[in-house]
Every structure is written in structure tokens, then in C-alpha cells.
Amino acid sequence: MRHWGKPLAAFCIAASLAVIHSWAQAAPAPASSAPLEARRVSLTSVDSKGGKATALYGVWIKARKSLTTKGPAPTVIALHGCGGLYSMVKDGKGEFTPRHLAMARVLSDAGYNVLFPDSFTPRGRRSTCQDTVAQREISAMNRRFDVQAALHWVTSQPDVDVKRIALLGWSHGASTLLAAMNLAETDVAVRKIQPRAAVAFYPDCRPYAKTTEPFKPAAPLLILMGENDDWTPPQACEAIEQKMKGSDTEIALRLYPDTYHDFDAPGLPVHVRMDVAGVGKRGEGVTSGGNPDARSQAYRSMLNFLDAKLNY
């Protein structure tokens, strides 16, 4: 697989901001047809605990002012999956995926700021889906330090209400979210500012499913998955839900029938991927594809959950 270096990474962000602007003008929006207000921001993370500083960046999209109350707005930090932020990189130009564009629109229209940290292109990668677990240098456990960097950045912004911050993630990003929320990790437990809520789209729950593996989320957690997901099977998340019964921290799991991985990706046909290493049954691949009905239900659950936890 070809690695994309830092010069291209800069083009990716610049082009993505232009695509966000043009897409926001053309796409129908339930609340507003004005373009999204997006800009590139710089973040400083580490590659591992106690490791060297790593320069990252992200895309910052502000909430619709007309839909927010006076003063700072609630904010969502959105974590991309193993496919990265971009649907295409061609001739030095990158485009946000339809999934990320749709989420940016939904959240900003609902009155939330959104920060999309990019964990891959600053490190010279576009995607890690084809890597085996052993090959993934950018692991979910390491990416939790990118979340720390994102939290540090958003809490320094005057238009962010530091008491109303949530995490959101997809697949590898959702697995990162679980690691970044686990109070069993010292760096998470000592964090001065904790998110008030977290929403995970089809995470890999297996690392925390065992009864012997400590897992205590720092805030209420909503998990959204397809019942037929064979990439990150829901049974492990069901085990976590069962394990956490009686806990003082809420965990809610929503499963959608006849639904697979990536179900919220607009326009993505259901198909089998044979290029994803280390998951699924040997030789059978994994299934990926959108389900508009499940996506609509999941968005509704997500917005209701965020409203209940952040907009008190």
C-alpha cells in the first residue's frame, strides 16, 4: 500500500474544506442551507504513552449560531474509522467521505460544534483497514492520546462549553472511543475534563467483553450496531452491556435488524469485502453497506441521547 506523506496531507485538508463548503451549499438541509463554517486546526498528540510529540490536525466545524443559545455551544469530537476521513485522494486532492459530511451537517444543524481529528494522513497513512492487528501501528489504544489532544484543543476555545463535550466514533474510531473513555487507564482517570457522553457506531468491543477485563466508562455510552455485523460482531458489545448492569454509568446498546457494518454510510451498497485482514470467517470476508432506515433511526437515537446528556 502506498503511504501518503505530509505534503499531500496538507492538500487533503485544504481540498476537504472546499468540498465541505460546496456540498453544504448543494445538499438539502432540514434546518439551514447556509454553508458549513469549517477550518483546519493543529493538534499535538503522542504516538504512545510517554512517546514523542506528534503534530496532527483536524477539521473544526462550528455550530449553527441561529440554533444555539447565547454563549458557548456543546461540542462533539468525531473519530474516523480505519478508512480515514477521506473517500478519495486524486491529483493531490482529498474529499471528506459522505458519512463524515452527513454527520457534520446533522450535528452542526442541531447546534453542536464538531471537531474531526485526523489520526492518519499526518502520520503518512490514508487507511489501515487492510493491515493485520499486528501491523497497525496506529492502534485504538494509541489513538486515545489523539483524543486527549482533541480534548485539550476544544477546551481552550471560547465558543466551547467545556461542561458539554461528547465523543463520537465509527468502527476503529469507536474502538478508540472505548479506550479513551475507560477509567481503568490512568491517563483517562486523571484527565481534568471528561466528556459528558459518548456515541459509538459499531465498535470492536472484544477487548472489554471479558469479565476479568476492567472497563468503566467515564460517561454514559450509547452503542449503535447492526445485528448482522460480521466485522465487529455485536455479541461482544452485548457482553459489555450485560457486564455493566447495575453500574452507576449508563450503557445503552441499540441493534438494528438486517443491518451490517457501515450501515450509516450514505449511498454505500451492501457488499462483501475480502481485503480486511484478521476479521470475519476465514475465506468469507466481511459485509459492509448502508441501510437508510437504520441510519435514520440511529441518528434519531444519537441526537436524543446527546440532547439528554448535554443540553440539561
Side-chain angles (χ1 to χ4, degrees):
M1 177 183 292
R2 182 176 178 182
H3 287 202
W4 300 91
K6 292 185 178 180
L8 175 60
F11 282 110
C12 286
I13 285 291
S16 288
L17 297 185
V19 169
I20 288 173
H21 180 86
S22 62
W23 180 88
Q25 288 179 314
S32 172
S33 59
L36 295 169
E37 183 180 342
R39 65 184 174 94
R40 170 180 166 164
V41 301
S42 298
L43 312 171
T44 302
S45 184
V46 293
D47 279 332
S48 61
K49 190 173 182 179
K52 65 178 182 178
T54 303
L56 300 182
Y57 46 70
V59 176
W60 174 242
I61 299 171
K62 295 184 68 174
R64 301 286 184 193
K65 292 182 180 179
S66 61
L67 297 180
T68 60
T69 58
K70 292 182 179 180
T75 298
V76 175
I77 297 171
L79 308 169
H80 63 74
C82 68
L85 274 174
Y86 310 110
S87 60
M88 178 181 67
V89 176
K90 184 178 180 182
D91 299 328
K93 297 180 180 180
E95 295 182 2
F96 253 34
T97 69
R99 172 180 18 229
H100 298 124
L101 288 169
M103 184 60 75
R105 165 66 75 186
V106 167
L107 289 176
S108 63
D109 278 355
Y112 298 95
N113 300 317
V114 192
L115 175 64
F116 289 88
D118 186 348
S119 293
F120 286 179
T121 47
R123 292 185 171 109
R125 300 300 303 270
R126 275 193 59 209
S127 170
T128 62
C129 297
Q130 292 83 7
D131 296 353
T132 64
V133 174
Q135 291 173 327
R136 287 187 180 180
E137 297 178 4
I138 311 173
S139 68
M141 290 299 288
N142 280 346
R143 283 185 69 192
R144 80 180 191 272
F145 296 107
D146 296 355
V147 176
Q148 305 280 49
L151 282 167
H152 178 76
W153 187 88
V154 298
T155 54
S156 68
Q157 304 307 303
D159 48 359
V160 170
D161 185 342
V162 298
K163 294 181 179 180
R164 295 192 291 162
I165 297 173
L167 302 183
L168 183 148
W170 295 268
S171 197
H172 193 273
S175 301
T176 298
L177 179 155
L178 297 182
M181 292 286 289
N182 187 10
L183 293 173
E185 299 291 341
T186 302
D187 55 277
V188 176
V190 301
R191 201 162 51 200
K192 291 183 179 179
I193 295 180
Q194 298 286 4
R196 292 292 300 268
V199 180
F201 283 79
Y202 34 88
D204 183 355
C205 291
R206 288 173 294 183
Y208 307 106
K210 295 180 180 179
T211 55
T212 55
E213 187 65 32
F215 180 69
K216 180 175 175 55
L221 171 64
L222 173 64
I223 301 175
L224 304 167
M225 305 190 76
E227 283 187 353
N228 301 83
D229 196 322
D230 53 7
W231 189 336
T232 53
Q235 288 78 12
C237 296
E238 290 177 309
I240 288 182
E241 184 186 38
Q242 184 65 31
K243 170 180 165 180
M244 297 298 296
K245 277 189 175 178
S247 169
D248 56 358
T249 303
E250 174 189 352
I251 292 185
L253 174 63
R254 302 282 184 270
L255 298 178
Y256 302 102
D258 301 318
T259 302
Y260 298 92
H261 205 80
D262 294 319
F263 70 84
D264 62 318
L268 181 66
V270 175
H271 62 291
V272 175
R273 292 189 59 167
M274 303 300 297
D275 62 338
V276 179
V279 296
K281 295 180 181 179
R282 186 180 298 274
E284 295 185 8
V286 294
T287 313
S288 170
N291 182 327
D293 290 338
R295 174 175 175 260
S296 177
Q297 293 176 50
Y299 273 20
R300 191 178 305 114
S301 293
M302 173 192 72
L303 290 174
N304 289 340
F305 179 79
L306 292 176
D307 185 53
K309 304 307 178 186
L310 300 185
N311 299 325
Y312 50 87

